[in-house]
Amino acid sequence: MSWFFKRATAKPPVMTLEGVLGPNSRLDEARSISVDRPDAIAIDAAGRLVFSSGASVFALDHFNDAPRLVHAFDDTVTALAASPDGRLAIGLATGRMHVLDPAGKASSWDFHANADAGPVIDCLFGDGDEIVTLQSGYPSADAALSMAPWEPARRGVLAAHLPDGGVRRLAGELHCPMGVTRDRAGDLVITELDAARVIDAKGRVRRAGFPAYMGRIRKVDGGFALACLSRRDPLIEFLRTERRFVDEMKSTIDPRHWISPRANPEFSADFPIELGATRLFGEIKPWAPSFSYGLIILLDEDFMPIGSAQSRANGRRHAISNALAWKGDLVAVSRASGEILNLGSVT
């Protein structure tokens, strides 16, 4: 009978979607503009909202304006950052970084990040002329969602690059990092998708136990906005204790179909647990089982949750890849619905 009392091999997150993180419909109620394959957003030196759309970068002066093309590339844009002097850093799915000058033209500074760590998933301008890049170690955000919950691999890299080609490795062996920003003291902090925590570049944990698969993090008034690619799923957390099942799943099934969080909110009986969402009168309930979810967690300056915005199981604005403050409003990207959302006042 010893198997009945076997010890769990993984601990679930401490936080739950209750209290200040209780369910709501802020994401579903937000104003929006449709964008083809959106992912990253930033605020440039002129105060414009800059966003990626597939292999292109566009800019908005005001939310309801028609977007203007900034630059088009040969591959998907995966990261954006703006400098105070008007430059724009753009990361591509190939791992290549390009820097546009204040006039929006390609500069002579472009470089390839760590070739073994996948595309640049996030970036920012550092001290002086440095550009800090973050790589998750996975070939794409979708691959990270599928695989990171089941792999112990720590391939993520945080590095600083100089125009003369110099590189400083700031942190390595990160477990699927997805976002980087600076805290109130100016130190770099990193989110790790499945480890459910915020750490600094030295590996010290600033806050752990988040109820989500974490994306990028950005400063807002009073703290930070944490974009989440999905909520933590109870089935996945349970299966962490079932190593034999997981080993068989990984050895016999394509990673795209592993029991993992997903960006797409489409329901189908072909996916695990999701028949439970539609069997009652054919209607998807907000509390239905779902591997996709829309979630932004608002944090104070100590990374403690103080609020949230959600699109629940019956919504479509899932897979929030980025959220930031622009002109006093909270603006976010829903990869699942292909929209940029304006949620109104951050507070």
Side-chain angles (χ1 to χ4, degrees):
M1 292 293 290
S2 61
W3 61 270
F4 186 81
F5 299 101
K6 63 184 177 180
R7 181 178 299 174
T9 57
K11 294 182 180 180
V14 175
M15 304 177 196
T16 59
L17 291 179
E18 298 175 313
V20 296
L21 296 181
N24 60 68
S25 56
R26 285 191 66 189
L27 290 174
D28 296 316
E29 296 165 358
R31 293 185 294 145
S32 69
I33 56 174
S34 296
V35 175
D36 179 37
R37 293 184 294 151
D39 186 0
I41 51 177
I43 309 300
D44 70 9
R48 301 181 303 171
L49 180 70
V50 182
F51 63 90
S52 67
S53 173
S56 300
V57 177
F58 291 86
L60 284 173
D61 289 310
H62 303 282
F63 191 75
N64 293 323
D65 290 352
R68 293 182 293 176
L69 179 67
V70 173
H71 208 282
F73 297 90
D74 295 329
D75 212 326
T76 302
V77 176
T78 58
L80 286 173
S83 72
D85 64 4
R87 291 174 296 165
L88 195 64
I90 300 103
L92 303 182
T94 57
R96 197 78 186 174
M97 289 291 299
H98 295 270
V99 181
L100 303 184
D101 64 21
K105 297 181 179 179
S107 71
S108 60
W109 188 14
D110 66 86
F111 59 90
H112 206 289
N114 189 310
D116 300 322
V120 174
I121 200 70
D122 203 6
C123 60
L124 56 80
F125 281 87
D127 299 328
D129 286 333
E130 287 184 336
I131 292 179
V132 175
T133 62
L134 183 69
Q135 296 171 270
S136 70
Y138 289 88
S140 68
D142 286 338
L145 270 175
S146 295
M147 302 171 70
W150 304 114
E151 292 192 342
R154 303 175 66 89
R155 300 185 291 260
V157 177
L158 183 73
H161 304 260
L162 288 166
D164 63 6
V167 180
R168 290 193 302 126
R169 188 183 178 95
L170 303 177
E173 298 184 351
L174 300 170
H175 188 263
C176 194
M178 295 298 287
V180 60
T181 192
R182 294 189 181 275
D183 65 10
R184 58 183 174 182
D187 297 326
L188 293 172
V189 291
I190 305 156
T191 59
E192 292 183 308
L193 180 143
D194 182 63
R197 63 184 187 175
V198 177
I199 62 174
D200 63 21
K202 296 181 179 179
R204 293 175 297 198
V205 177
R206 297 296 188 87
R207 188 70 61 185
F210 288 95
Y213 299 100
M214 299 163 66
R216 300 183 180 100
I217 185 170
R218 295 290 182 265
K219 285 184 179 180
V220 296
D221 290 343
F224 302 87
L226 172 62
C228 302
L229 296 169
S230 186
R231 66 177 179 89
R232 305 296 296 192
D233 188 88
L235 177 60
I236 295 172
E237 298 306 315
F238 165 73
L239 289 177
R240 292 179 192 277
T241 68
E242 304 297 318
R243 294 309 314 169
R244 186 179 300 177
F245 175 91
V246 172
D247 291 343
E248 183 175 352
M249 177 184 72
K250 292 171 66 175
S251 64
T252 60
I253 299 176
D254 187 286
R256 292 175 298 174
H257 302 295
W258 288 359
I259 298 176
S260 294
R262 296 198 316 271
N264 192 338
E266 179 182 0
F267 278 79
S268 169
D270 296 333
F271 292 112
I273 79 170
E274 295 203 344
L275 182 59
T278 57
R279 65 185 301 170
L280 184 62
F281 307 122
E283 180 181 351
I284 299 171
K285 304 297 184 181
W287 55 86
S290 173
F291 284 136
S292 70
Y293 203 84
L295 179 62
I296 300 169
I297 299 178
L298 298 175
L299 310 172
D300 66 16
E301 292 186 343
D302 295 318
F303 305 102
M304 179 63 74
I306 56 175
S308 72
Q310 301 182 29
S311 177
R312 303 172 70 191
N314 63 335
R316 62 187 181 86
R317 290 172 170 173
H318 293 184
I320 306 301
S321 62
N322 211 343
L324 50 73
W326 181 49
K327 299 182 183 294
D329 292 337
L330 183 62
V331 177
V333 173
S334 168
R335 286 181 49 215
S337 65
E339 293 174 297
I340 294 178
L341 311 175
N342 187 328
L343 287 80
S345 173
V346 175
T347 56

